[in-house]
Amino acid sequence: MSFKRYCIACLLLIVSTSSFAQKTPKANLPDFMDKRFGMFVHFGPITLRGTEIGWSRNKEVAQADYDSLYREFNPVLFNADAWVKAAKDAGMKYLVITAKHHDGFCLWPTAFSAYNIMNSPFKRDIVGELAKACKKQGITFGIYFTVLDWHDKDYPIQNPNDSTQNVKGNMTAFKQTMKDELKELITRYTPYLLWFDGYWEKPWTNEDGREIYDYIKSINPNILVNNRLGKVSEVLNDQSVGDYLTPEQRIGQLNMNEPWESCITICEQWAWKPNDKMKSLKECIQTLVKTAAGNGNLLFNVGPMMDGRIENRQILRLKEIGNWMKTYGSSIYNTKGGPYAPNESFASTRKGNKIFIHVFKHNGNTVTIPAMPNVTITKAYLFNNTSVQVRQNVTDIQLTLPPSLPDENDNLVVLEVNQNTENIPVIK
Ligand code: FHN
């Protein structure tokens, strides 16, 4: 081999093995997007007060009081199998747990912070038990990890509500602790994805995010990472850090090009709150449908109570969603969004030669949708195979639904067409 070829070979070897060049293989994303529906879990000692995790520190709950709650945190009714079963019963395919939220408390026995579950009365590895239960029940496991940490003295901002509490900090040491904790979580629990959060404060830079992303890739290049490790951008470009977009408390726009996941609460607060307002079944189903119809995933949040149980009313709501998914799940899982952009009257998902029209509102049992140029509808029916009348012209397609409709949460009409629906351009 000539010296020149030898140098090229060495360069290629360096680039291929060095962490700075590595990104999550794009081939990993379709598997994630096909899951469509996951459970988000916000949990920690703050459930003893019923106020918001992180944000109520030095607000509704005095900082010293908040930071001592772990000494009485003892969720003795925590049962990882029960949480995972609740997710499975809802038709969810993955689960993401707040291993460490902005208050810095760690739900796993980390060697890098004394502020962790083993120094509470509970003394059990909540992250580890959930990882094991997910594996046992076939649910994909993910970990939420905060970028900012208002409890760690190396992080300069100690509380967003009171800048007088701030300290000099040491970002080099802070990032080393983050790397050490992430290595524990990755090597011990093998998460499918890491859900970062808390990128927005001044001490954290996009370069810091890139550094941590590269470090994660050097340990396991296949782990999915959301777009909240760097300074988040509304699109994925060469400046953004991470693999998918994360609209929060709203349904993302129809986007056929970039993977995205909306995170939305089943109630109003992320962590458990007594008598919090819970979404109706219709709202839950239509949120999931509109997310899938936008070509996105829904990470739907529950907040377990201080004793470790998920409220029974939330369990029942999740079961109702699961019953709906038992009938209609094939119009959600493994589908693509579109070709129609979701609106308040209807939304659409598609797979193969079928377009699933999810009807939320109809005018006397008729639904009018824009025509699809060069597409011929060969058959139209409800999910229970009741025929649906179709009249189409150059501008519109009019569907006449049968008098009795099966599901006012979402009346699903299947349109079979003369081509692969994924080739149909988006119709705004
Ligand atoms: O501050 C957090 C909040 O507590 C919650 O974890 C959400 C979930 O995505 N993210 C942040 C708010 O944007």
Side-chain angles (χ1 to χ4, degrees):
M1 179 188 286
S2 70
F3 180 67
K4 183 182 174 191
R5 288 173 69 86
Y6 173 75
C7 292
I8 290 169
C10 290
L11 185 61
L12 287 174
L13 181 65
I14 291 167
V15 168
S16 63
T17 53
S18 64
S19 63
F20 81 89
Q22 287 185 321
K23 291 196 70 167
T24 307
K26 283 214 178 297
N28 291 18
L29 273 299
D31 176 70
F32 172 57
M33 297 313 291
D34 281 347
K35 297 182 191 297
R36 280 291 184 250
F37 192 28
M39 177 183 273
F40 210 172
V41 183
H42 278 65
F43 190 51
I46 192 53
T47 49
L48 288 158
R49 291 289 184 279
T51 56
E52 188 58 286
I53 191 165
W55 295 98
S56 60
R57 183 170 175 267
N58 201 21
K59 234 177 124 182
E60 296 90 333
V61 182
Q63 189 157 314
D65 181 15
Y66 189 117
D67 293 354
S68 62
L69 288 172
Y70 77 103
R71 296 197 183 104
E72 53 185 300
F73 184 53
N74 194 13
V76 292
L77 298 181
F78 166 69
N79 178 325
D81 284 318
W83 287 14
V84 175
K85 183 181 183 300
K88 204 167 179 178
D89 287 352
M92 293 163 164
K93 298 294 185 186
Y94 61 108
L95 181 149
V96 179
I97 176 68
T98 54
K100 182 166 84 163
H101 201 266
H102 309 332
D103 59 17
F105 187 73
C106 301
L107 294 181
W108 81 100
T110 176
F112 303 100
S113 165
Y115 194 43
N116 77 67
I117 194 73
M118 300 313 280
N119 292 322
S120 76
F122 193 55
K123 300 190 187 312
R124 278 166 49 188
D125 179 359
I126 289 176
V127 175
E129 292 185 29
L130 276 172
K132 188 178 168 196
C134 281
K135 189 171 184 178
K136 186 165 75 174
Q137 297 191 47
I139 294 290
T140 298
F141 180 64
I143 287 175
Y144 169 111
F145 190 94
T146 184
V147 167
L148 60 83
D149 180 337
W150 294 322
H151 186 271
D152 185 329
K153 293 300 179 216
D154 285 331
Y155 185 76
I157 295 175
Q158 297 294 291
N159 197 293
N161 306 310
D162 179 358
S163 59
T164 65
Q165 301 272 349
N166 291 347
V167 296
K168 184 174 180 307
N170 177 338
M171 285 304 283
T172 303
F174 179 71
K175 286 189 286 182
Q176 187 53 56
T177 302
M178 186 186 282
K179 288 176 180 177
D180 294 337
E181 291 176 347
L182 284 170
K183 186 169 186 179
E184 270 183 341
L185 290 167
I186 293 169
T187 54
R188 202 178 292 174
Y189 308 118
T190 322
Y192 175 88
L193 67 88
L194 289 171
W195 213 99
F196 287 95
D197 201 13
Y199 55 86
W200 52 79
E201 292 185 329
K202 197 168 180 311
W204 190 259
T205 68
N206 208 54
E207 292 66 37
D208 291 333
R210 169 66 59 199
E211 179 184 337
I212 299 299
Y213 182 86
D214 290 344
Y215 178 72
I216 292 163
K217 294 292 122 184
S218 71
I219 302 170
N220 180 343
N222 285 310
I223 288 184
L224 288 183
V225 177
N226 74 348
N227 71 326
R228 297 194 182 195
L229 195 45
K231 292 298 189 183
V232 78
S233 62
E234 290 309 306
V235 290
L236 290 178
N237 56 35
D238 56 7
Q239 293 308 307
S240 53
V241 179
D243 308 319
Y244 61 93
L245 299 166
T246 53
E248 174 169 323
Q249 294 291 35
R250 61 184 173 86
I251 297 166
Q253 296 293 312
L254 174 59
N255 183 342
M256 300 305 298
N257 304 311
E258 294 159 329
W260 63 271
E261 170 200 70
S262 276
C263 53
I264 296 174
T265 50
I266 195 169
C267 289
E268 294 192 338
Q269 194 169 271
W270 292 100
W272 177 72
K273 174 182 172 186
N275 306 314
D276 198 357
K277 186 174 180 297
M278 184 169 73
K279 288 175 173 66
S280 67
L281 176 59
K282 175 176 276 193
E283 199 178 354
C284 293
I285 289 172
Q286 293 191 2
T287 298
L288 173 58
V289 166
K290 289 175 181 173
T291 304
N295 206 42
N297 284 13
L298 175 62
L299 189 60
F300 209 38
N301 182 80
V302 298
M305 296 183 283
M306 66 184 88
D307 65 7
R309 289 176 302 143
I310 296 172
E311 285 181 299
N312 196 44
R313 61 171 181 150
Q314 292 186 29
I315 294 283
L316 293 176
R317 181 68 82 243
L318 291 170
K319 278 189 174 144
E320 289 172 328
I321 299 167
N323 289 337
W324 187 88
M325 289 294 271
K326 282 189 185 113
T327 303
Y328 298 104
S330 60
S331 72
I332 302 292
Y333 303 124
N334 309 310
T335 62
K336 291 285 185 281
Y340 295 100
N343 56 58
E344 285 315 303
S345 297
F346 74 95
S348 67
T349 52
R350 48 182 157 168
K351 185 171 178 64
N353 73 324
K354 291 179 181 171
I355 299 173
F356 302 103
I357 304 290
H358 301 263
V359 178
F360 309 131
K361 292 178 187 163
H362 47 84
N363 178 12
N365 278 36
T366 60
V367 180
T368 303
I369 62 179
M372 293 180 279
N374 309 312
V375 174
T376 304
I377 297 170
T378 57
K379 199 175 174 186
Y381 49 92
L382 294 183
F383 235 55
N384 60 12
N385 285 319
T386 307
S387 178
V388 168
Q389 192 182 354
V390 180
R391 284 185 30 230
Q392 46 190 336
N393 59 40
V394 175
T395 55
D396 292 329
I397 298 168
Q398 190 176 73
L399 305 173
T400 304
L401 307 179
S404 66
L405 292 172
D407 183 350
E408 281 313 314
N409 293 319
D410 170 13
N411 282 298
L412 196 44
V413 178
V414 183
L415 301 182
E416 291 186 8
V417 299
N418 63 335
Q419 59 187 272
N420 180 343
T421 57
E422 290 188 32
N423 300 328
I424 300 171
V426 162
I427 303 164
K428 294 270 187 192

